[in-house]
Amino acid sequence: MADPTLPRADEAPGTIAAQVNKGQQFTSFDVNAFEIPNQREEVWRFTPFRRLRGLHDGTAVRTADPSIVVDGVTDGVTVETVGRDDQRLAEGGAPFDRVAAQAFSSFTDATVITVAKETELAEPVFVKVDGPGAGEVGFGHIQIRLEAFARAVIVLDQQGSGTYAENVQFVVGDHAHLTVVNVHDWADDAVHVAAHHIGVGRDAIVRHFAVSLGG
């Protein structure tokens, strides 16, 4: 009998073909592998779909890109803009719902921030994300990587206007220590849907705080 946790021959790499138990979510990079969500599903029960501007059903089409600026970069920290073919992006986890899969298949460039092995940052790194703009639709991808024994505080400051969906991946190496502060300070017109993926190495620690002020 086939192992239900392995990808079928007709599925993209990284796909989990079936959900074995409640602790294992179906994941796929293929948008069409997911049904359009509805309020009969528990996880979406309180979602105001009419206000999502098509992010959940494929009718939202990219018209502009977000602006991503990284401040506080010092020795031991690198910031890269990479294409969707960068193999590291697959290490951060596959999308687990249709919006995340749409964002993964629609972004143009990804921002990868890496804190080198055994680097301990005395000050936070600030990642400022501005939405695509009023009346625009954008998709984004950010990956934050801490190599073994690194320690860092990352402030993800999100603001601006528009309709925006993204994946944010945290890849935390063995014995590393990451603190994330995610501030949502969107303009009143903004619609934002994000999926955060966290991979934690052996004896690593991740603390994640989210503060919503607008949008």
Side-chain angles (χ1 to χ4, degrees), residues 9-215:
D10 60 341
E11 290 183 315
T15 299
I16 296 176
Q19 197 168 313
V20 179
N21 57 51
K22 284 188 75 174
Q24 291 179 294
Q25 282 188 295
F26 176 86
T27 62
S28 177
F29 292 96
D30 180 9
V31 178
N32 295 320
F34 298 94
E35 294 183 358
I36 295 174
N38 59 72
Q39 289 174 324
R40 292 188 298 274
E41 301 174 53
E42 182 63 26
V43 71
W44 295 100
R45 186 160 55 133
F46 300 107
T47 303
F49 288 111
R50 284 179 292 183
R51 296 170 58 189
L52 292 189
R53 299 178 185 158
L55 288 176
H56 67 296
D57 62 11
T59 58
V61 179
R62 173 188 159 273
T63 60
D65 292 320
S67 168
I68 299 175
V69 177
V70 183
D71 292 324
V73 176
T74 185
D75 291 344
V77 179
T78 59
V79 180
E80 303 168 80
T81 300
V82 303
R84 54 189 318 106
D85 57 345
D86 191 298
Q87 293 300 307
R88 291 173 296 179
L89 303 184
E91 298 173 10
F96 48 78
D97 63 36
R98 186 181 177 94
V99 180
Q102 183 71 59
F104 193 91
S105 65
S106 301
F107 75 88
T108 52
D109 297 314
T111 299
V112 177
I113 302 163
T114 304
V115 181
K117 182 179 179 180
E118 300 180 353
T119 298
E120 296 191 18
L121 299 182
E123 300 293 334
V125 173
F126 291 86
V127 183
K128 181 181 178 182
V129 179
D130 271 309
E136 305 289 351
V137 177
F139 299 92
H141 195 101
I142 297 172
Q143 185 179 93
I144 296 168
R145 306 175 65 88
L146 264 65
E147 296 181 348
F149 295 96
R151 297 176 67 95
V153 176
I154 305 293
V155 179
L156 185 58
D157 184 11
Q158 298 182 299
Q159 56 188 277
S161 296
T163 302
Y164 183 54
E166 65 175 346
N167 288 281
V168 182
Q169 301 174 324
F170 304 95
V171 181
V172 183
D174 294 346
H175 303 278
H177 189 156
L178 172 65
T179 298
V180 179
V181 180
N182 188 190
V183 180
H184 301 268
D185 195 14
W186 295 102
D188 289 343
D189 72 290
V191 171
H192 174 227
V193 181
H196 285 204
H197 312 256
I198 304 176
V200 183
R202 180 166 52 91
D203 295 325
I205 296 174
V206 177
R207 292 188 172 94
H208 186 290
F209 303 90
V211 181
S212 294
L213 304 174

